[in-house]
Amino acid sequence: MNSRKKLNFDTVVIGGGIAGLQTAIDLGDQGFKVAIIEKDATIGGTMIRLSKVFPTLDCASCITTPKMSEAAHHDNITLFTMCTLNALDKESNKVTASITQQPRYLDPDKCIGCRQCEYNCPVYVLDEEQGDLTLRKAAYIPFSNAIPQLALIDVENCSLCGKCAKVCPTDAIDYFQEPEDFIIEARTAVVTTGFNMTPADQKKEYGQGKIENVITALQMERILAPHGPYMRALRPSDGKEPESIAFIQCAGSRDKSLGVSYCSRVCCMYAIKQCMLLSGSLPLADLTIYYMDIRAFGKGYEQFYQNAKAMGIEFVKSKIASISQGADQSVALKYEAQEEGGKLATREHDLVVLSLGIVPEWDPTGICDIAKDTDQFIQCKMPKIAPTITSIEGMFTAGVASGPKDIVDTIAESGAAAMEAGNYMKHYH
Amino acid sequence: MSKDNDKNKDDEATDINENTDANDTVEKIGVYICHCGGNISDHVDVEKVAESVKNIPGVTKVHTNSFMCSDPGQELIEKDIKSGSINRVVVASCAPSLHESTFRGAIKRADMNPFLYDHANIREQVSWVHDGEPATAKASILVKSSIEKARGLKALDVLKVDAKKHVLIVGGGIAGMRSGLDLAKQGFEVAILEKSPFLGGQASKLSRLAPSYEYAKDLIVELYTQLSKQNKVTFYTCAEMSSFKGYIGNFDVTLTREPSDAVKSKSKGEFVENRGIFIDNIPKETEEIAITIGAVVMATGFKTYEPAEDEFGFNKLEPVTTLEQFIQDYKKAETKKGILYLNNKKIKRIAFIHCVGSRQIPGIHEPDKNGNLNEYCSRTCCSSTLQAAERIKTTCPNTDVFDFYRDIRTYGRFQEDIYDSASEKGVMFFRFEPDAQPEVTENKNGKFPISIKTKDVLTFNEEIEVDVDLVVLVTGIIPNDISSMINMMKLPVGTDKFLQEVHPKLRPVEVANTGILLAGTCQAPMDITESCAAAQAASVKATALLYKGFVELDPFVAQVDTELCKGHGECLKVCPVDNTIEIDKVAKVNPALCTGCGICTAVCPENAIDVMGWSLKQYEKMVDAILAA
């Protein structure tokens, strides 16, 4: 049992979000064999969980699924989901990744994704895929376009009632499945580990997550997504259709008190996008964005911003001083009203969205010697002319792992990482 | 619980005509209709559409799914093919441009010819533009017409054409050099076309770069040093493209090189300030060079916006300059008693005005003489301005620096640090609204030659007047004029005049013309990091296209029925692509060049020419189906 499986690839890609998928596809298209290591039960990363993307308003599912599907069906790409990376080492031209695959508590070769286990499971738990705004079962497939379409059992919440095992048509359920350790040996590695948001309860002035109807931008993404928790735009506390919605920009970025002094780069645009989508589903709602600077710098972004202004979305230049609970479960914001001579003003909104900061998802400390920079993201050794090269030869990085980035910049950088890795294997190996 | 039911419903399949396995030559059409997670089903009653087509003769399977493009959706198709239930596929979902290749892939995996498939667009053409009953009715009609087209589909093979492992890079700036280096390392032959005698482009004019303070010159020299070690790279300097023909894998390009009196006394490989690395092979007389290449990387770069006459006093008041000029002058700047001296002039006070020629708003800003407005943000100028401001305050603390801005966009990694540092060192910021731009006037009697008036949003719209020695206009980025190449190569251009990518999110370095890729600022404003990332992404796409030595093209090209053709040559007269058709008793089509536009089929008096996969007969059937409904 303990003899660890060893697999060989040309490149091991750490993280199966859009950066990892694009990197793997661009390497696979050059003929290299690639393994994608993903910690979740599905590939797709943050992008597949979004509603629509700026500035095209393409639905995120519609444009992410083809990439997921392309990677999953690519002759040169192998996916490993539910994997924890224990160590990533580089020694004498060889990258070694030591990995533990967490159990799904079912045999992936037998599971046909029919969801009978899910339909029959009696246990309901908060659905993290829906921003904890609704419930899922303890036996479940993460979402309808997850890849692979395999169920898993959330063993922490499972009541061991045995129903799933009884209804499974292929006898795939295995309550005694153990984590499996294995090793991937490769010639190169690409770190595409993506991001996380700063905690919503971090800032004392913003109520530390205890105020009703203050949600995060990623929760708003789910509310706006086609298969969202409510299938329409409602506020969580009482299901009221909000008549006034506010966005607080830089609620976790450009804020030295939180240790995030940098700009998170995408929040201005997603707040504007969410306003545009809300104005579609709630045409009468008042939409307000409280901001410091609107950073609409990408291709077509400024025009998107100007359109939002023309649509009547209100932009208030101000850093919100504090958030408190208002009357009737509304949210009261205190701020300096610059248009009114700088006097301290308070306004109430039915629903408030925090544009939290972006922080790295993965900390290499103790796992890999790859250098971090002062902002804690992966350090780029030649940030100008070779932006994907890291401190370790043969290890590359792309996407938000090396700093906040939007999807298009992530896609370009992923191509760049695939080029660097490809050329490295061609020449120095 | 209701959610579970919904999910059950997604996979509802209607099995009809179970006696289908009688004869395999009969068309058995599977119809797969997508909800697109609500994008379609919010406006189109998908189940009703399914119901409306299930009894059409030849339709053997009808499925609906919330995301047909997802794995479970694709598996429905694969399963039906493998079980022998279907031999034609109709997918009704989004535009085929998004998912055609996805579904072809699924069909191929099930060992069926991927061209026995047609696609009805019921999202862009229906649910996004219609609502309610009419939307459902139109979706139904489109699916029916697609079914009729699918009936007439024949198995086709992709076209395989040899591809040259030789790439032309247009533009010898940072992006072009970066891409050239990547492709040379791949073992490809690389031709770098550059109109000047220098490599390095716009970056040669820069000094220290934000936010790393590296010298632009060092980066250019580094890239050139690596490039010159590659033995398959040819530099065609002093050159322009004079003709462009062919198709991916085999483009025939003519380059015209002209003599130049740029620099005589420089030696090869030497960096010339503001101009770049000198490539010492200037032609003595005009020469033409013909090369055949497999792919093209466009790296034609940008120029800076030239302010209009008297825009913020430009060209009218002497102490008004541009950021581009300021960077040149600052390289030779002096400091006396902590005060900046530029061109021997004391600059006690200096002002920067952002967004000159960028973020222009219709109705507020004046269009240029061609009626153009630059509505986009030029992306790089906030950081370069703040770095300049920060450098001044660091080396000349007794010079006052004023910064007039709309939004500070220090979005990139470590750029915010420059903003912080500039603020800490005492740069004074004023924020203006686009409809109340700063006024720059001559200050005849004052201590300083220029006066700037503005309404400052930061101090609650206080009227502020600042007198300064020098005004620096932070001018934006506009694409280089490459109209002759745009015409020759038929390149798509956006409303912002930059080259237009296939998909602004997912395919930023490709254009609709296969084999042509985009690197750097010809596509949109970018800094050097972003240009290099884009250049490397373009390189990887070129590599994937060419590394096998052949490319595969769609088979939707014109085909001549030699029995019927009388060689009139009507097709040749209307064909928009040179050399595609030749007449040798009968018409002959070069399938690699043919774009499948179908104009020839419309003019042929004998009906002897037809586009494979899109025949006239199929169109007739589609029209009949539409009219019948």
Side-chain angles (χ1 to χ4, degrees):
Chain A
M1 282 297 273
N2 274 340
S3 69
R4 286 200 288 181
K5 247 198 315 190
K6 205 181 260 183
L7 304 165
N8 280 292
F9 290 91
D10 291 316
T11 304
V12 55
V13 172
I14 313 296
I18 190 64
L21 296 175
Q22 187 62 53
T23 305
I25 291 166
D26 282 338
L27 277 163
D29 284 351
Q30 296 176 68
F32 295 109
K33 296 280 179 200
V34 186
I36 299 180
I37 304 302
E38 169 56 50
K39 69 172 171 25
D40 284 346
T42 170
I43 55 169
T46 306
M47 188 179 171
I48 188 67
R49 278 107 168 163
L50 301 179
S51 55
K52 298 194 173 183
V53 295
F54 58 80
T56 52
L57 296 182
D58 277 313
C59 98
S61 274
C62 308
I63 64 172
T64 318
T65 24
K67 291 279 179 197
M68 291 162 69
S69 169
E70 191 180 349
H73 295 298
H74 202 294
D75 287 341
N76 292 334
I77 300 175
T78 312
L79 304 179
F80 297 91
T81 50
M82 302 202 57
C83 286
T84 319
L85 182 68
N86 307 315
L88 184 67
D89 300 312
K90 173 81 194 290
E91 247 170 61
S92 60
N93 286 344
K94 199 170 70 187
V95 173
T96 310
S98 148
I99 295 154
T100 302
Q101 189 160 39
Q102 304 303 329
R104 285 176 183 266
Y105 299 101
L106 51 80
D107 182 345
D109 294 331
K110 286 186 184 167
C111 177
I112 52 169
C114 69
R115 289 189 156 183
Q116 285 306 318
C117 53
E118 180 173 342
Y119 302 146
N120 287 283
C121 174
V123 181
Y124 284 89
V125 286
L126 283 178
D127 188 355
E128 63 276 18
E129 293 297 352
Q130 299 282 18
D132 287 342
L133 296 171
T134 183
L135 302 172
R136 64 157 167 82
K137 298 292 186 67
Y140 66 110
I141 287 179
F143 41 85
S144 61
N145 42 6
I147 291 183
Q149 278 285 306
L150 296 175
L152 69 151
I153 293 171
D154 168 1
V155 75
E156 274 172 33
N157 291 298
C158 172
S159 66
L160 291 174
C161 70
K163 269 196 183 145
C164 51
K166 271 189 214 120
V167 296
C168 177
T170 60
D171 281 331
I173 307 286
D174 173 6
Y175 297 117
F176 303 103
Q177 204 170 40
E178 295 277 333
E180 196 182 341
D181 293 336
F182 66 102
I183 297 222
I184 287 180
E185 282 184 355
R187 301 197 285 158
T188 49
V190 183
V191 175
T192 54
T193 42
F195 68 98
N196 214 327
M197 304 300 272
T198 53
D201 55 4
Q202 194 178 22
K203 209 169 155 76
K204 212 174 91 202
E205 297 85 347
Y206 288 1
Q208 292 184 308
K210 294 196 182 91
I211 301 165
E212 281 188 307
N213 298 319
V214 176
I215 62 170
T216 69
L218 281 177
Q219 285 178 314
M220 185 49 103
E221 286 295 325
R222 290 316 307 159
I223 289 177
L224 291 165
H227 277 180
Y230 314 135
M231 312 291 275
R232 55 198 282 218
L234 301 174
R235 74 175 187 183
S237 78
D238 55 1
K240 182 188 163 187
E241 220 171 60
E243 284 159 26
S244 131
I245 304 165
F247 290 79
I248 301 182
Q249 298 310 102
C250 302
S253 318
R254 301 179 68 191
D255 190 335
K256 283 186 185 157
S257 72
L258 303 178
V260 181
S261 59
Y262 51 84
C263 165
S264 290
R265 194 159 163 162
V266 291
C267 335
C268 283
M269 289 304 293
Y270 71 60
I272 296 172
K273 171 202 73 182
Q274 292 185 348
C275 279
M276 286 208 172
L277 297 176
L278 283 166
S279 72
S281 49
L282 304 170
L284 298 175
D286 292 325
L287 302 164
T288 311
I289 295 179
Y290 295 91
Y291 73 102
M292 301 210 286
D293 296 279
I294 289 294
R295 295 187 164 171
F297 55 82
K299 185 164 183 168
Y301 294 4
E302 177 68 19
Q303 295 91 320
F304 194 74
Y305 166 43
Q306 296 301 336
N307 287 346
K309 275 179 132 176
M311 280 166 68
I313 292 160
E314 187 191 10
F315 288 82
V316 177
K317 184 170 162 59
S318 190
K319 173 108 181 158
I320 295 296
S322 71
I323 305 177
S324 57
Q325 197 80 62
D328 298 329
Q329 302 175 31
S330 72
V331 185
L333 305 181
K334 207 175 259 180
Y335 67 104
E336 189 187 69
Q338 302 208 343
E339 276 82 27
E340 293 158 56
K343 74 168 204 273
L344 204 62
T346 303
R347 246 161 95 175
E348 294 198 350
H349 299 275
D350 286 341
L351 181 61
V352 165
V353 184
L354 298 180
S355 292
L356 297 170
I358 281 182
V359 288
E361 162 71 31
W362 182 62
D363 183 355
T365 311
I367 300 170
C368 178
D369 289 336
I370 198 166
K372 295 185 286 184
D373 218 315
T374 50
D375 58 5
Q376 302 305 308
F377 290 95
I378 302 294
Q379 187 182 57
C380 298
K381 211 175 138 205
M382 301 171 78
K384 292 285 178 201
I385 55 171
T388 65
I389 290 180
T390 71
S391 61
I392 298 178
E393 221 184 77
M395 282 196 199
F396 307 90
T397 184
V400 188
S402 61
K405 230 156 268 149
D406 57 23
I407 293 166
V408 60
D409 290 345
T410 294
I411 292 277
E413 212 172 74
S414 304
M419 189 74 260
E420 285 289 357
N423 272 334
Y424 177 82
M425 289 189 270
K426 208 157 178 138
H427 286 269
Y428 308 106
H429 225 74
Chain B
M1 284 306 275
S2 64
K3 230 177 131 201
D4 294 351
N5 292 340
D6 279 356
K7 274 170 192 158
N8 273 329
K9 240 166 112 185
D10 282 349
D11 269 1
E12 239 171 51
T14 324
D15 260 305
I16 342 119
N17 307 349
E18 271 307 315
N19 55 344
T20 45
D21 45 357
N23 184 349
D24 214 43
T25 57
V26 172
E27 294 96 40
K28 293 180 283 186
I29 303 165
V31 181
Y32 303 86
I33 310 171
C34 184
H35 288 248
C36 199
N39 275 303
I40 292 170
S41 55
D42 285 352
H43 304 279
V44 170
D45 186 338
V46 171
E47 299 308 325
K48 215 168 158 184
V49 176
E51 193 61 31
S52 76
V53 298
K54 72 171 194 192
N55 292 325
I56 295 176
V59 172
T60 52
K61 285 274 179 188
V62 181
H63 287 278
T64 63
N65 191 278
S66 62
F67 287 103
M68 204 51 91
C69 57
S70 68
D71 258 22
Q74 293 185 53
E75 275 160 19
L76 290 174
I77 302 174
E78 288 175 58
K79 225 170 72 193
D80 287 347
I81 296 172
K82 283 182 185 154
S83 71
S85 314
I86 61 163
N87 57 22
R88 298 282 187 285
V89 173
V90 169
V91 177
S93 63
C94 51
S97 57
L98 262 174
H99 275 305
E100 202 169 47
S101 57
T102 310
F103 294 113
R104 276 192 203 151
I107 296 167
K108 240 202 291 200
R109 283 196 300 279
D111 288 329
M112 192 171 106
N113 186 288
F115 299 102
L116 294 171
Y117 143 66
D118 194 53
H119 196 106
N121 177 355
I122 59 165
R123 194 179 73 173
E124 283 81 346
Q125 290 179 4
V126 180
S127 66
W128 281 2
V129 285
H130 306 290
D131 192 25
E133 196 38 54
T136 304
K138 183 174 174 187
S140 232
I141 293 170
L142 290 183
V143 176
K144 282 175 187 165
S145 105
S146 193
I147 289 168
E148 291 314 316
K149 175 162 183 267
R151 226 183 271 285
L153 287 171
K154 294 192 177 74
L156 299 173
D157 291 321
V158 290
L159 301 169
K160 241 187 198 180
V161 291
D162 287 340
K164 297 266 178 317
K165 292 184 181 181
H166 186 176
V167 181
L168 173 69
I169 316 268
V170 186
I174 285 260
M177 291 167 84
R178 175 70 257 177
S179 184
L181 178 59
D182 293 328
L183 292 165
K185 282 184 179 173
Q186 270 299 313
F188 291 179
E189 260 187 88
V190 172
I192 298 185
L193 167 64
E194 165 58 44
K195 64 176 187 266
S196 80
F198 303 92
L199 293 181
Q202 290 284 352
S204 316
K205 296 180 188 164
L206 302 176
S207 152
R208 301 181 85 165
L209 300 168
S212 58
Y213 292 101
E214 289 162 276
Y215 283 98
K217 174 190 164 182
D218 294 345
L219 301 181
I220 295 167
V221 170
E222 168 71 21
L223 280 174
Y224 176 72
T225 309
Q226 288 192 48
L227 257 178
S228 52
K229 285 181 196 153
Q230 303 290 334
N231 50 16
K232 284 183 169 174
V233 180
T234 315
F235 302 117
Y236 295 104
T237 50
C238 311
E240 291 200 26
M241 186 189 288
S242 42
S243 80
F244 184 88
K245 279 190 296 212
Y247 47 90
I248 177 175
N250 297 275
F251 293 110
D252 292 312
V253 185
T254 323
L255 315 176
T256 306
R257 302 188 69 222
E258 299 281 357
S260 161
D261 50 9
V263 188
K264 290 272 156 62
S265 56
K266 302 288 173 186
S267 56
K268 183 176 162 68
E270 192 179 336
F271 183 86
V272 182
E273 202 58 55
N274 296 337
R275 308 190 75 168
I277 303 264
F278 182 58
I279 304 297
D280 186 19
N281 60 352
I282 295 176
K284 299 221 163 44
E285 53 196 35
T286 303
E287 58 184 47
E288 286 219 332
I289 298 146
I291 53 173
T292 305
I293 47 152
V296 186
V297 175
M298 296 300 287
T300 49
F302 72 97
K303 58 184 178 188
T304 48
Y305 170 81
E306 163 118 7
E309 196 70 21
D310 203 19
E311 187 176 359
F312 298 104
F314 185 74
N315 264 351
K316 194 177 157 221
L317 303 174
E318 199 252 315
V320 175
T321 185
T322 62
L323 181 63
E324 188 182 23
Q325 187 57 47
F326 172 80
I327 291 171
Q328 319 286 323
D329 295 343
Y330 190 71
K331 288 179 187 169
K332 299 164 283 178
E334 287 171 283
T335 312
K336 288 177 204 161
K337 293 184 184 159
I339 293 175
L340 173 69
Y341 282 76
L342 282 182
N343 304 323
N344 298 321
K345 263 193 205 143
K346 182 177 170 184
I347 310 290
K348 178 74 182 70
R349 288 176 166 193
I350 182 169
F352 293 90
I353 300 177
H354 288 248
C355 297
V356 178
S358 306
R359 302 184 65 192
Q360 294 175 324
I361 300 172
I364 294 178
H365 293 90
E366 275 299 308
D368 71 6
K369 55 183 185 295
N370 301 318
N372 292 328
L373 275 178
N374 301 330
E375 294 182 41
Y376 52 87
C377 163
S378 289
R379 189 165 178 150
T380 59
C381 4
C382 276
S383 289
S384 48
T385 306
L386 289 178
Q387 170 157 297
E390 199 265 355
R391 295 306 300 161
I392 296 170
K393 286 307 287 182
T394 306
T395 52
C396 325
N398 295 331
T399 289
D400 300 324
V401 182
F402 305 96
D403 184 290
F404 295 80
Y405 74 100
R406 282 167 63 184
D407 291 282
I408 292 292
R409 294 184 165 172
T410 42
Y411 63 89
R413 203 175 184 189
F414 304 120
Q415 289 177 359
E416 193 77 11
D417 298 346
I418 312 173
Y419 185 16
D420 282 349
S421 175
S423 308
E424 274 160 25
K425 286 179 177 159
V427 174
M428 296 268 288
F429 289 93
F430 304 97
R431 184 162 192 261
F432 65 91
E433 292 290 347
D435 54 358
Q437 302 212 63
E439 277 173 46
V440 177
T441 50
E442 198 175 0
N443 184 17
K444 285 205 174 97
N445 309 315
K447 207 172 141 200
F448 298 93
I450 296 282
S451 169
I452 305 175
K453 262 193 227 148
T454 196
K455 253 175 41 181
D456 177 28
V457 180
L458 297 177
T459 51
F460 322 120
N461 286 327
E462 194 184 338
E463 297 265 3
I464 280 171
E465 191 169 342
V466 184
D467 295 341
V468 295
D469 291 300
L470 182 67
V471 178
V472 180
L473 304 182
V474 180
T475 46
I477 281 177
I478 53 176
N480 263 322
D481 180 12
I482 52 164
S483 43
S484 75
M485 272 186 282
I486 287 170
N487 290 332
M488 264 188 281
M489 301 168 76
K490 300 187 172 68
L491 296 172
V493 179
T495 48
D496 55 8
K497 307 280 184 292
F498 288 92
L499 293 178
Q500 184 76 48
E501 64 290 322
V502 175
H503 191 281
K505 278 283 169 198
L506 293 184
R507 295 173 70 188
V509 300
E510 296 161 81
V511 292
N513 328 30
T514 337
I516 302 176
L517 302 153
L518 305 178
T521 51
C522 62
Q523 187 242 347
M526 288 179 203
D527 68 11
I528 289 180
T529 302
E530 292 150 357
S531 290
C532 284
Q536 295 200 284
S539 307
V540 89
K541 295 289 176 209
T543 304
L545 283 172
L546 303 179
Y547 88 103
K548 286 182 187 153
F550 63 86
V551 288
E552 292 184 332
L553 305 174
D554 276 354
F556 307 123
V557 295
Q559 195 184 32
V560 179
D561 184 335
T562 46
E563 305 269 295
L564 294 176
C565 178
K566 299 219 164 73
H568 292 296
E570 295 299 321
C571 49
L572 177 61
K573 282 185 212 157
V574 295
C575 180
V577 186
D578 292 344
N579 305 319
T580 305
I581 297 179
E582 63 178 84
I583 308 287
D584 177 12
K585 285 182 193 135
V586 293
K588 271 188 189 155
V589 178
N590 179 341
L593 281 169
C594 177
T595 59
C597 69
I599 299 176
C600 51
T601 59
V603 298
C604 179
E606 318 296 338
N607 279 343
I609 194 162
D610 222 341
V611 177
M612 293 199 278
W614 293 90
S615 69
L616 264 182
K617 233 181 222 151
Q618 283 174 299
Y619 274 107
E620 282 164 14
K621 286 271 170 63
M622 287 170 80
V623 172
D624 287 346
I626 292 168
L627 291 176

